[in-house]
Amino acid sequence: MEAIIAAVVFAVLSVVCFSVSMLMRREKYAPIFAKANPVMPDGRLRYDSKKRLRSGSILLLIYGIVFLITAAAVLLTKVWMVLPNACLVVVLYFHGAFLILGMIARLVYLDTNAQLHVETETESD
């Protein structure tokens, strides 16, 4: 019974990730997610809003796929017992790795490609 509950939870999380990702791509709901854009001390936005929303949407799509694969692995190893338990261990390992590495990749992308460039004026004497 606990395996079915785990599979349902992973499947629901997958649907939530896909849904929020699709909402982030719509112009109507983009301002809701754009409000979380960090602000620099002088009041300017730190990241380009479109690039930030697009990277977040892609990350959520990847998370949705990972949750769906994990739900399938739980079903195939614990409920229907088609695959050995070692497959579930490998899938759960990659599940955690994709969650962590996906977030790190997004942060690296934001800091390298999505920052708004500040034009600094140099004083020449």
Side-chain angles (χ1 to χ4, degrees):
M1 184 65 177
E2 61 272 356
I4 295 173
I5 293 171
V8 168
V9 167
F10 282 126
V12 167
L13 286 173
S14 175
V15 170
V16 168
C17 286
F18 288 137
S19 301
V20 173
S21 175
M22 292 300 123
L23 286 176
M24 287 176 83
R25 290 178 179 258
R26 293 183 163 242
E27 294 290 327
K28 181 178 178 183
Y29 300 106
I32 296 170
F33 299 105
K35 289 181 182 178
N37 197 351
V39 179
M40 296 184 125
D42 60 356
R44 287 177 285 136
L45 293 177
R46 181 169 180 169
Y47 301 117
D48 182 15
S49 294
K50 288 184 180 180
K51 289 181 180 180
R52 192 178 147 276
L53 286 175
R54 186 178 43 204
S55 69
S57 176
I58 291 170
L59 181 66
L60 282 175
L61 281 175
I62 292 170
Y63 281 3
I65 293 168
V66 169
F67 280 122
L68 196 60
I69 290 171
T70 307
V74 169
L75 282 176
L76 292 174
T77 56
K78 294 296 182 184
V79 178
W80 296 320
M81 297 182 189
V82 177
L83 296 174
N85 286 336
C87 291
L88 182 61
V89 172
V90 170
V91 168
L92 287 175
Y93 175 76
F94 282 113
H95 176 92
F98 270 101
L99 293 182
I100 293 170
L101 292 176
M103 182 53 70
I104 291 171
R106 179 173 187 243
L107 290 174
V108 168
Y109 170 77
L110 287 177
D111 284 340
T112 57
N113 295 329
Q115 279 192 351
L116 292 173
H117 296 290
V118 179
E119 295 179 12
T120 57
E121 296 179 11
T122 57
E123 295 182 18
S124 57
D125 291 288

